[in-house]
Amino acid sequence: MTTQSLPARTEAPDRTPAVRASGRGGRRLLRQRAGRQHHAGPLAYVLLAIMAILSIFPLYWTMVAASTDNTRVSQTPPPFLPGPNLFSNLARAWDEAAMGKAMINSLIVAGVIALSTVLFATLAGFAFAKLRFKGRNALLMLVIGTMMVPPQLAVVPLFMMMADLGWSQQLPAVIFPTLVSAVGVFFMRQYLTEALPDELVEAGRVDGAHSLRIFFSIVLPIARPAMAVLFMITFVHAWNDFFWPFVVLDMTNPTVPVALTQLSAGYVRDQSLIMAGALLGTLPLLAMFIVFGRQIVSGIMAGAVKG
């Protein structure tokens, strides 16, 4: 038998280096495009400047009114430049409204409410977003439905409950009814639904982690940007809340908004003194935004990139 020679097999040239080279070049190009800064046009800067002026003007006017006397504030046209009485009016407002104790009380109330709301809302949001249990949708609709009930309807029974507990005229009467909010639960549920992959939760289950371990090890690092936003919103809302603290507290143990009502007492209201007290009540919030504003914005941006 004659053996027929088979044609030699031609091997395809190794194009791996070229592919790798093109892959490295593509990645380099993507990095360059990702790091490229986008410059806005002149119209965008004009609009941003107008919005910044409109946002800062109320605070500036409060400072101007607090630095003059009541007669000058009531004139037409009103003053638009600061006067010489700023520090004297601030000292008067601090003494007459007992702002030292009021600020401590507001710091305790707003801090505890913000921390508890963030913790409980994140727990509930994780349960509604990723856990499967009977009645989940019905319970979520019930939580959302509480947002439609006016808070004024609950004032009388809530006040009676606080009186029965012996908390009337005390800070726990302001703190405990607002330890968690339906808005915070819904906000965290919507965030975790999009930002938390189901694969991470399933991987934690495979590794033998229970729900609380998954929450503290996996959910909290992912939810930090939303938690920072919720903390700031809740803290500012609790700090500025007036209606319920005014009902359940008195002038011997007030928060800042309740203490400011002391400045408007009397037959003739001193508008410059009231503005000085409002400026004192606003300064802690401004200081907090200045100190933690960069971290909050960076956390929001990090969460947006991960999402």
Side-chain angles (χ1 to χ4, degrees):
M1 281 181 70
T2 61
T3 59
Q4 188 177 3
S5 62
L6 296 175
R9 184 176 179 180
T10 58
E11 303 225 353
D14 187 7
R15 302 182 63 180
T16 304
V19 173
R20 290 178 179 173
S22 63
R24 287 195 297 268
R27 288 193 295 270
R28 188 182 303 111
L29 180 60
L30 290 176
R31 285 196 297 268
Q32 292 176 357
R33 291 180 179 178
R36 187 182 304 167
Q37 294 183 355
H38 299 277
H39 298 281
L43 181 60
Y45 286 106
V46 172
L47 293 176
L48 288 175
I50 293 175
M51 293 302 298
I53 293 173
L54 292 177
S55 301
I56 297 174
F57 181 76
L59 180 62
Y60 175 75
W61 166 248
T62 302
M63 184 187 68
V64 171
S67 62
T68 58
D69 53 17
N70 196 31
T71 303
R72 184 72 180 94
V73 173
S74 304
Q75 290 180 354
T76 303
F80 289 98
L81 294 177
N85 303 328
L86 177 61
F87 294 102
S88 60
N89 288 338
L90 291 177
R92 286 179 54 202
W94 183 276
D95 294 334
E96 294 186 16
M99 290 297 291
K101 185 175 183 179
M103 284 191 177
I104 295 176
N105 289 342
S106 290
L107 184 61
I108 295 173
V109 170
V112 173
I113 291 176
L115 289 175
S116 64
T117 299
V118 168
L119 177 60
F120 294 141
T122 307
L123 275 168
F126 167 60
F128 284 126
K130 298 300 177 181
L131 300 184
R132 301 292 182 264
F133 54 91
K134 291 183 179 181
R136 184 186 65 168
N137 295 332
L139 188 58
L140 178 61
M141 294 305 298
L142 180 63
V143 172
I144 297 175
T146 59
M147 299 166 56
M148 305 177 187
V149 179
Q152 291 80 6
L153 295 179
V155 169
V156 174
L158 192 58
F159 182 82
M160 295 174 61
M161 185 184 301
M162 295 299 107
D164 292 339
L165 293 174
W167 289 348
S168 181
Q169 316 301 331
Q170 298 181 17
L171 295 183
V174 181
I175 295 174
F176 277 87
T178 52
L179 285 177
V180 67
S181 64
V183 177
V185 173
F186 181 73
F187 173 73
M188 294 305 302
R189 186 259 180 190
Q190 294 300 109
Y191 180 84
L192 292 175
T193 300
E194 299 294 334
L196 180 61
D198 294 334
E199 291 78 7
L200 288 180
V201 180
E202 295 300 329
R205 296 291 187 191
V206 171
D207 291 340
H210 50 79
S211 298
L212 285 179
R213 178 64 182 275
I214 293 174
F215 174 78
F216 287 106
S217 300
I218 298 176
V219 177
L220 285 185
I222 295 177
R224 281 177 184 173
M227 292 170 65
V229 176
L230 182 60
F231 179 87
M232 289 298 301
I233 294 175
T234 307
F235 188 92
V236 173
H237 181 269
W239 182 277
N240 295 327
D241 189 20
F242 170 76
F243 180 69
W244 176 243
F246 181 75
V247 171
V248 78
L249 298 179
D250 58 7
M251 291 302 171
T252 62
N253 195 29
T255 57
V256 169
V258 177
L260 291 179
T261 60
Q262 189 72 16
L263 300 178
S264 60
Y267 185 74
V268 178
R269 295 182 178 180
D270 192 342
Q271 297 296 333
S272 61
L273 189 63
I274 295 174
M275 290 298 179
L279 185 61
L280 284 174
T282 308
L283 289 179
L285 296 180
L286 291 177
M288 186 173 62
F289 274 108
I290 292 174
V291 173
F292 299 106
R294 186 181 298 273
Q295 288 79 5
I296 293 172
V297 172
S298 62
I300 296 173
M301 295 303 297
V305 172
K306 291 178 181 179

